[in-house]
Amino acid sequence: MSTINTLTEFLTQADTQFQLFDMGRQVRPLASDAFERIEQQQEPYPWPLQQHAWLGVHFFQPAESRHYLWFLKFALDERGLLISSGPKLFMDQVVETLGYKLTGDLDEEKAQRLADNPYTFRPAEAKMASLHAKLARQLEQAPSAYYEGLCHYLAAPGDEGWQALGLQGFADMAERLQDERNLALVCKALPKLPQAPLYALCQSLENVPLPPAVQGALFERIGKEQETAEPNTETLAYLCRALASCNGNAMRTNKLLTLLQTQPSPALLLAIAGRLWPDLKEPSLLSLFLEQLALQPTQFFNQVFAELVTLPTLRNDMLARLRDPERSNALGQAIGRLFASA
Protein backbone atom coordinates (compact mmCIF):
# COMPACT_ATOMS: atom_id res chain seq x y z
CA MET A 1 0.00 0.00 0.00
CA SER A 2 1.20 3.51 -0.73
CA THR A 3 1.46 6.01 2.12
CA ILE A 4 -1.98 6.99 3.40
CA ASN A 5 -2.28 10.40 5.02
CA THR A 6 -6.02 11.01 5.30
CA LEU A 7 -9.16 9.19 6.37
CA THR A 8 -10.60 9.72 2.87
CA GLU A 9 -7.62 7.96 1.27
CA PHE A 10 -7.84 5.18 3.85
CA LEU A 11 -11.53 4.44 3.21
CA THR A 12 -11.06 4.74 -0.56
CA GLN A 13 -8.08 2.36 -0.67
CA ALA A 14 -10.02 -0.13 1.45
CA ASP A 15 -12.55 -0.25 -1.44
CA THR A 16 -15.43 1.09 0.63
CA GLN A 17 -18.17 3.49 -0.28
CA PHE A 18 -18.64 5.94 2.56
CA GLN A 19 -20.39 9.06 3.73
CA LEU A 20 -19.77 11.39 6.64
CA PHE A 21 -22.01 13.04 9.21
CA ASP A 22 -21.29 15.69 11.80
CA MET A 23 -22.40 14.37 15.21
CA GLY A 24 -21.46 17.37 17.33
CA ARG A 25 -24.10 20.06 17.75
CA GLN A 26 -26.60 18.35 15.44
CA VAL A 27 -26.67 15.31 13.17
CA ARG A 28 -26.13 16.47 9.59
CA PRO A 29 -24.35 15.31 6.46
CA LEU A 30 -20.81 16.49 5.84
CA ALA A 31 -19.95 16.58 2.13
CA SER A 32 -16.98 14.40 1.16
CA ASP A 33 -15.30 17.15 -0.87
CA ALA A 34 -15.61 19.56 2.08
CA PHE A 35 -14.06 16.97 4.38
CA GLU A 36 -11.16 16.46 1.98
CA ARG A 37 -10.41 20.19 2.19
CA ILE A 38 -10.66 19.98 5.99
CA GLU A 39 -8.21 17.05 6.00
CA GLN A 40 -5.76 19.09 3.90
CA GLN A 41 -6.14 21.99 6.39
CA GLN A 42 -7.45 24.17 3.57
CA GLU A 43 -10.48 25.21 5.62
CA PRO A 44 -11.61 24.95 9.25
CA TYR A 45 -14.08 22.37 10.49
CA PRO A 46 -17.47 24.18 10.22
CA TRP A 47 -19.15 22.85 13.39
CA PRO A 48 -16.56 22.41 16.15
CA LEU A 49 -17.66 21.32 19.61
CA GLN A 50 -15.24 21.43 22.54
CA GLN A 51 -12.42 21.99 20.00
CA HIS A 52 -13.09 18.66 18.31
CA ALA A 53 -14.69 17.39 15.13
CA TRP A 54 -17.26 14.72 16.03
CA LEU A 55 -17.80 12.43 13.04
CA GLY A 56 -20.12 9.61 12.09
CA VAL A 57 -18.63 7.51 9.27
CA HIS A 58 -21.02 5.18 7.44
CA PHE A 59 -19.26 2.77 5.07
CA PHE A 60 -19.79 -0.50 3.22
CA GLN A 61 -18.41 -2.53 0.37
CA PRO A 62 -20.79 -2.71 -2.60
CA ALA A 63 -20.42 -6.49 -2.87
CA GLU A 64 -21.53 -6.99 0.75
CA SER A 65 -24.89 -6.37 2.36
CA ARG A 66 -23.59 -5.25 5.77
CA HIS A 67 -23.12 -1.59 6.64
CA TYR A 68 -20.75 -0.21 9.27
CA LEU A 69 -20.57 2.87 11.48
CA TRP A 70 -17.57 4.47 13.13
CA PHE A 71 -17.90 7.40 15.52
CA LEU A 72 -14.66 9.37 15.60
CA LYS A 73 -13.54 12.56 17.35
CA PHE A 74 -10.46 14.47 16.29
CA ALA A 75 -8.87 17.52 17.90
CA LEU A 76 -8.86 20.91 16.17
CA ASP A 77 -6.37 23.72 16.68
CA GLU A 78 -7.30 27.23 17.83
CA ARG A 79 -8.19 28.21 14.24
CA GLY A 80 -10.52 25.23 13.86
CA LEU A 81 -8.13 23.33 11.58
CA LEU A 82 -7.90 19.55 11.90
CA ILE A 83 -4.76 18.39 13.73
CA SER A 84 -3.65 15.73 11.27
CA SER A 85 -1.82 13.54 13.79
CA GLY A 86 -5.19 12.34 15.19
CA PRO A 87 -6.52 10.65 12.04
CA LYS A 88 -3.07 9.18 11.29
CA LEU A 89 -2.77 7.58 14.73
CA PHE A 90 -6.34 6.30 14.47
CA MET A 91 -5.63 4.70 11.08
CA ASP A 92 -2.42 3.13 12.38
CA GLN A 93 -4.37 1.48 15.19
CA VAL A 94 -7.11 0.26 12.82
CA VAL A 95 -4.56 -1.27 10.44
CA GLU A 96 -2.84 -2.94 13.39
CA THR A 97 -6.18 -4.47 14.44
CA LEU A 98 -7.90 -5.18 11.11
CA GLY A 99 -5.33 -4.78 8.39
CA TYR A 100 -6.90 -3.08 5.36
CA LYS A 101 -10.00 -5.29 5.43
CA LEU A 102 -12.42 -2.94 7.18
CA THR A 103 -15.56 -5.00 6.67
CA GLY A 104 -16.47 -8.54 7.67
CA ASP A 105 -16.96 -10.24 11.02
CA LEU A 106 -15.01 -9.09 14.07
CA ASP A 107 -14.04 -11.45 16.83
CA GLU A 108 -14.52 -10.21 20.40
CA GLU A 109 -10.88 -9.30 20.93
CA LYS A 110 -10.68 -7.16 17.76
CA ALA A 111 -14.00 -5.50 18.55
CA GLN A 112 -12.74 -4.59 22.02
CA ARG A 113 -9.47 -3.21 20.66
CA LEU A 114 -11.37 -1.00 18.24
CA ALA A 115 -13.72 0.15 21.00
CA ASP A 116 -10.74 1.08 23.19
CA ASN A 117 -9.32 3.35 20.48
CA PRO A 118 -8.97 6.87 22.01
CA TYR A 119 -10.40 8.45 18.86
CA THR A 120 -13.76 6.71 19.07
CA PHE A 121 -16.79 7.82 21.08
CA ARG A 122 -20.39 6.79 21.66
CA PRO A 123 -22.93 9.46 20.67
CA ALA A 124 -25.83 10.43 22.91
CA GLU A 125 -28.85 8.17 22.41
CA ALA A 126 -30.95 10.84 20.64
CA LYS A 127 -28.18 11.54 18.11
CA MET A 128 -27.63 7.83 17.50
CA ALA A 129 -31.36 7.42 16.87
CA SER A 130 -31.37 10.34 14.41
CA LEU A 131 -28.46 8.92 12.42
CA HIS A 132 -30.04 5.45 12.28
CA ALA A 133 -33.30 7.04 11.07
CA LYS A 134 -31.50 8.99 8.34
CA LEU A 135 -29.68 5.89 7.12
CA ALA A 136 -32.82 3.71 7.23
CA ARG A 137 -34.73 6.17 5.05
CA GLN A 138 -31.76 6.60 2.71
CA LEU A 139 -31.39 2.82 2.33
CA GLU A 140 -35.19 2.44 1.92
CA GLN A 141 -35.44 0.30 5.03
CA ALA A 142 -38.53 0.06 7.22
CA PRO A 143 -38.65 2.29 10.31
CA SER A 144 -38.06 0.77 13.74
CA ALA A 145 -40.57 -1.23 15.76
CA TYR A 146 -41.24 1.91 17.84
CA TYR A 147 -42.58 3.89 14.89
CA GLU A 148 -46.15 2.56 14.71
CA GLY A 149 -46.57 2.85 18.48
CA LEU A 150 -45.60 6.51 18.25
CA CYS A 151 -48.08 7.08 15.40
CA HIS A 152 -50.89 5.68 17.59
CA TYR A 153 -49.82 7.82 20.54
CA LEU A 154 -49.61 11.05 18.51
CA ALA A 155 -53.13 10.49 17.19
CA ALA A 156 -54.42 10.87 20.78
CA PRO A 157 -51.59 12.13 23.00
CA GLY A 158 -52.08 12.04 26.75
CA ASP A 159 -50.32 11.56 30.06
CA GLU A 160 -50.36 7.78 29.65
CA GLY A 161 -48.89 5.62 26.91
CA TRP A 162 -45.73 7.57 26.14
CA GLN A 163 -43.61 5.66 28.67
CA ALA A 164 -43.26 2.71 26.27
CA LEU A 165 -42.17 4.88 23.32
CA GLY A 166 -38.54 4.71 22.21
CA LEU A 167 -36.38 7.60 21.02
CA GLN A 168 -35.87 5.70 17.77
CA GLY A 169 -39.57 6.07 16.97
CA PHE A 170 -39.39 9.86 17.35
CA ALA A 171 -36.31 9.98 15.10
CA ASP A 172 -38.06 7.81 12.48
CA MET A 173 -41.06 10.13 12.58
CA ALA A 174 -38.91 13.24 12.18
CA GLU A 175 -37.24 11.76 9.10
CA ARG A 176 -40.63 11.02 7.53
CA LEU A 177 -42.39 14.36 7.79
CA GLN A 178 -42.79 14.51 4.01
CA ASP A 179 -45.52 11.88 4.53
CA GLU A 180 -48.73 13.92 4.83
CA ARG A 181 -50.13 11.60 7.53
CA ASN A 182 -47.05 12.15 9.69
CA LEU A 183 -47.08 15.89 9.07
CA ALA A 184 -50.70 16.10 10.24
CA LEU A 185 -50.01 13.89 13.29
CA VAL A 186 -47.09 16.02 14.46
CA CYS A 187 -48.79 19.37 13.85
CA LYS A 188 -51.96 18.31 15.69
CA ALA A 189 -50.07 16.73 18.59
CA LEU A 190 -47.55 19.53 19.21
CA PRO A 191 -49.94 21.85 21.09
CA LYS A 192 -50.86 19.19 23.66
CA LEU A 193 -47.87 16.86 24.10
CA PRO A 194 -46.80 16.33 27.74
CA GLN A 195 -43.29 17.36 28.66
CA ALA A 196 -41.36 14.08 28.22
CA PRO A 197 -42.64 13.15 24.74
CA LEU A 198 -42.41 16.81 23.69
CA TYR A 199 -38.72 16.89 24.61
CA ALA A 200 -38.09 13.61 22.76
CA LEU A 201 -39.81 14.96 19.65
CA CYS A 202 -37.88 18.25 19.80
CA GLN A 203 -34.55 16.41 20.05
CA SER A 204 -35.41 14.56 16.85
CA LEU A 205 -36.80 17.57 14.97
CA GLU A 206 -33.59 19.55 15.52
CA ASN A 207 -31.76 17.22 13.11
CA VAL A 208 -34.11 17.56 10.11
CA PRO A 209 -35.28 20.43 7.88
CA LEU A 210 -38.86 21.20 8.93
CA PRO A 211 -41.88 21.83 6.71
CA PRO A 212 -43.43 25.28 7.29
CA ALA A 213 -46.45 23.73 9.03
CA VAL A 214 -44.25 22.16 11.73
CA GLN A 215 -42.31 25.40 12.18
CA GLY A 216 -45.62 27.19 12.67
CA ALA A 217 -46.80 24.63 15.23
CA LEU A 218 -43.55 25.04 17.18
CA PHE A 219 -43.88 28.83 17.24
CA GLU A 220 -47.46 28.44 18.47
CA ARG A 221 -46.36 26.11 21.28
CA ILE A 222 -43.61 28.60 22.24
CA GLY A 223 -46.19 31.39 22.36
CA LYS A 224 -48.55 29.24 24.44
CA GLU A 225 -45.76 28.50 26.93
CA GLN A 226 -44.83 32.18 27.15
CA GLU A 227 -48.42 33.01 28.10
CA THR A 228 -48.53 30.66 31.10
CA ALA A 229 -48.25 32.08 34.63
CA GLU A 230 -44.80 30.50 35.04
CA PRO A 231 -43.23 29.62 31.69
CA ASN A 232 -40.99 26.53 31.83
CA THR A 233 -37.55 27.66 30.68
CA GLU A 234 -36.47 24.10 29.83
CA THR A 235 -39.54 23.61 27.61
CA LEU A 236 -38.88 26.91 25.82
CA ALA A 237 -35.27 25.87 25.19
CA TYR A 238 -36.27 22.48 23.73
CA LEU A 239 -38.87 24.12 21.47
CA CYS A 240 -36.28 26.59 20.19
CA ARG A 241 -33.74 23.80 19.61
CA ALA A 242 -36.31 21.98 17.48
CA LEU A 243 -36.04 24.81 14.92
CA ALA A 244 -32.27 24.40 14.55
CA SER A 245 -32.18 22.80 11.08
CA CYS A 246 -34.46 25.41 9.50
CA ASN A 247 -32.99 28.27 7.55
CA GLY A 248 -32.66 31.29 9.79
CA ASN A 249 -35.38 33.90 9.33
CA ALA A 250 -36.62 37.12 10.90
CA MET A 251 -39.44 35.31 12.71
CA ARG A 252 -37.05 33.00 14.57
CA THR A 253 -34.59 35.79 15.36
CA ASN A 254 -37.38 38.02 16.67
CA LYS A 255 -38.73 35.19 18.82
CA LEU A 256 -35.26 34.65 20.32
CA LEU A 257 -34.97 38.39 21.00
CA THR A 258 -38.31 38.33 22.84
CA LEU A 259 -37.33 35.25 24.87
CA LEU A 260 -33.97 36.74 25.87
CA GLN A 261 -35.78 39.88 27.02
CA THR A 262 -38.53 38.08 28.95
CA GLN A 263 -37.42 34.55 29.89
CA PRO A 264 -33.62 34.47 29.78
CA SER A 265 -32.25 31.28 31.31
CA PRO A 266 -29.10 29.14 31.15
CA ALA A 267 -31.12 26.57 29.16
CA LEU A 268 -32.09 29.15 26.52
CA LEU A 269 -28.54 30.52 26.31
CA LEU A 270 -27.22 26.99 25.76
CA ALA A 271 -29.89 26.26 23.13
CA ILE A 272 -28.88 29.37 21.18
CA ALA A 273 -25.14 28.77 21.55
CA GLY A 274 -25.37 25.06 20.77
CA ARG A 275 -28.05 24.93 18.06
CA LEU A 276 -29.18 28.38 16.93
CA TRP A 277 -25.84 30.17 16.84
CA PRO A 278 -26.25 31.22 13.14
CA ASP A 279 -28.89 33.70 14.40
CA LEU A 280 -26.17 35.42 16.40
CA LYS A 281 -24.92 36.91 13.11
CA GLU A 282 -27.74 39.42 13.74
CA PRO A 283 -25.95 42.18 15.72
CA SER A 284 -28.91 43.07 17.96
CA LEU A 285 -29.39 39.43 18.97
CA LEU A 286 -25.68 38.93 19.62
CA SER A 287 -25.61 42.06 21.81
CA LEU A 288 -28.58 40.96 23.90
CA PHE A 289 -27.30 37.38 24.10
CA LEU A 290 -23.89 38.49 25.42
CA GLU A 291 -25.45 40.90 27.92
CA GLN A 292 -27.59 38.06 29.33
CA LEU A 293 -24.63 35.68 29.24
CA ALA A 294 -22.58 38.17 31.30
CA LEU A 295 -25.13 37.84 34.13
CA GLN A 296 -24.39 34.12 34.47
CA PRO A 297 -21.68 32.58 36.70
CA THR A 298 -18.13 33.16 35.48
CA GLN A 299 -17.43 29.54 34.50
CA PHE A 300 -20.66 29.36 32.44
CA PHE A 301 -19.83 32.64 30.66
CA ASN A 302 -16.27 31.52 29.92
CA GLN A 303 -17.28 28.13 28.52
CA VAL A 304 -20.05 29.46 26.26
CA PHE A 305 -17.98 32.41 25.02
CA ALA A 306 -15.03 30.11 24.27
CA GLU A 307 -17.28 27.72 22.31
CA LEU A 308 -18.74 30.52 20.18
CA VAL A 309 -15.29 31.90 19.35
CA THR A 310 -14.35 28.53 17.82
CA LEU A 311 -17.19 28.67 15.26
CA PRO A 312 -15.63 29.90 11.98
CA THR A 313 -18.67 31.93 10.92
CA LEU A 314 -18.94 33.69 14.31
CA ARG A 315 -15.29 34.07 15.27
CA ASN A 316 -14.78 37.61 13.94
CA ASP A 317 -18.10 38.85 15.40
CA MET A 318 -17.17 37.46 18.82
CA LEU A 319 -13.65 38.90 18.77
CA ALA A 320 -15.02 42.30 17.74
CA ARG A 321 -17.20 42.32 20.87
CA LEU A 322 -14.08 42.08 23.02
CA ARG A 323 -13.23 45.62 21.91
CA ASP A 324 -16.79 47.00 21.70
CA PRO A 325 -16.92 50.42 23.45
CA GLU A 326 -20.74 50.19 23.69
CA ARG A 327 -20.81 47.09 25.88
CA SER A 328 -22.21 47.26 29.42
CA ASN A 329 -20.15 47.26 32.59
CA ALA A 330 -21.40 43.72 33.37
CA LEU A 331 -20.18 42.43 30.01
CA GLY A 332 -16.89 44.30 30.34
CA GLN A 333 -16.31 42.72 33.76
CA ALA A 334 -17.23 39.24 32.48
CA ILE A 335 -14.74 39.62 29.61
CA GLY A 336 -12.13 40.81 32.10
CA ARG A 337 -12.65 37.67 34.19
CA LEU A 338 -12.41 35.57 31.01
CA PHE A 339 -8.97 37.00 30.23
CA ALA A 340 -7.88 36.67 33.85
CA SER A 341 -8.66 32.94 33.78
CA ALA A 342 -6.97 32.30 30.41
Side-chain angles (χ1 to χ4, degrees), residues 27 122-134 143-151 153-154 161-176 195-208 238 241:
V27 180
R122 182 169 179 80
E125 191 182 351
K127 286 194 172 73
M128 189 83 90
S130 286
L131 182 59
H132 281 305
K134 287 181 187 299
S144 71
Y146 292 105
Y147 173 70
E148 283 304 326
L150 177 61
C151 291
Y153 173 75
L154 291 178
W162 59 262
Q163 292 86 347
L165 302 173
L167 271 175
Q168 190 61 58
F170 287 95
D172 292 331
M173 173 64 70
E175 280 295 326
R176 289 167 167 76
Q195 193 175 86
L198 175 66
Y199 291 5
L201 179 61
C202 288
Q203 282 184 284
S204 297
L205 293 179
E206 70 180 41
N207 297 312
V208 299
Y238 270 103
R241 279 176 52 172

Side-chain angles (χ1 to χ4, degrees), residues 4 8 48 72 105 144 165 185 230 270 322:
I4 293 175
T8 297
L72 308 175
D105 292 326
S144 71
L165 302 173
L185 279 173
E230 292 186 18
L270 286 175
L322 296 176

Side-chain angles (χ1 to χ4, degrees), residues 34-51:
F35 187 63
E36 283 192 65
R37 293 191 296 274
I38 291 165
E39 289 183 297
Q40 302 290 346
Q41 296 189 317
Q42 293 170 359
E43 61 185 62
Y45 192 77
W47 310 299
L49 180 65
Q50 297 165 1
Q51 272 201 283

Side-chain angles (χ1 to χ4, degrees), residues 208-234:
V208 299
L210 300 181
V214 178
Q215 295 182 51
L218 286 166
F219 280 120
E220 282 184 36
R221 181 75 192 251
I222 292 171
K224 185 178 166 187
E225 187 65 37
Q226 285 177 287
E227 290 164 7
T228 61
E230 292 186 18
N232 185 311
T233 55
E234 201 75 24

Side-chain angles (χ1 to χ4, degrees), residues 44 65 103 122-123 165 178 180 184 195 216 230 232 237 255 296 309:
S65 58
T103 60
R122 182 169 179 80
L165 302 173
Q178 71 277 17
E180 288 190 12
Q195 193 175 86
E230 292 186 18
N232 185 311
K255 179 57 74 177
Q296 299 298 318
V309 169

Side-chain angles (χ1 to χ4, degrees), residues 102-144:
L102 302 185
T103 60
D105 292 326
L106 286 180
D107 62 36
E108 198 169 319
E109 183 197 353
K110 286 182 178 177
Q112 190 57 50
R113 282 167 66 188
L114 276 182
D116 291 341
N117 191 304
Y119 300 100
T120 63
F121 73 98
R122 182 169 179 80
E125 191 182 351
K127 286 194 172 73
M128 189 83 90
S130 286
L131 182 59
H132 281 305
K134 287 181 187 299
L135 292 175
R137 189 167 69 87
Q138 178 183 304
L139 299 169
E140 299 182 346
Q141 295 172 348
S144 71

Side-chain angles (χ1 to χ4, degrees), residues 34-106:
F35 187 63
E36 283 192 65
R37 293 191 296 274
I38 291 165
E39 289 183 297
Q40 302 290 346
Q41 296 189 317
Q42 293 170 359
E43 61 185 62
Y45 192 77
W47 310 299
L49 180 65
Q50 297 165 1
Q51 272 201 283
H52 281 76
W54 303 77
L55 296 169
V57 185
H58 163 233
F59 64 95
F60 62 97
Q61 289 186 308
E64 297 179 4
S65 58
R66 288 182 64 181
H67 291 246
Y68 301 83
L69 279 174
W70 283 344
F71 295 105
L72 308 175
K73 65 169 186 173
F74 296 122
L76 307 170
D77 69 14
E78 68 283 353
R79 297 163 297 166
L81 298 177
L82 188 69
I83 298 173
S84 56
S85 59
K88 285 178 182 171
L89 288 169
F90 165 74
M91 291 182 287
D92 287 345
Q93 292 185 24
V94 171
V95 169
E96 192 179 310
T97 305
L98 300 179
Y100 289 95
K101 172 69 172 162
L102 302 185
T103 60
D105 292 326
L106 286 180

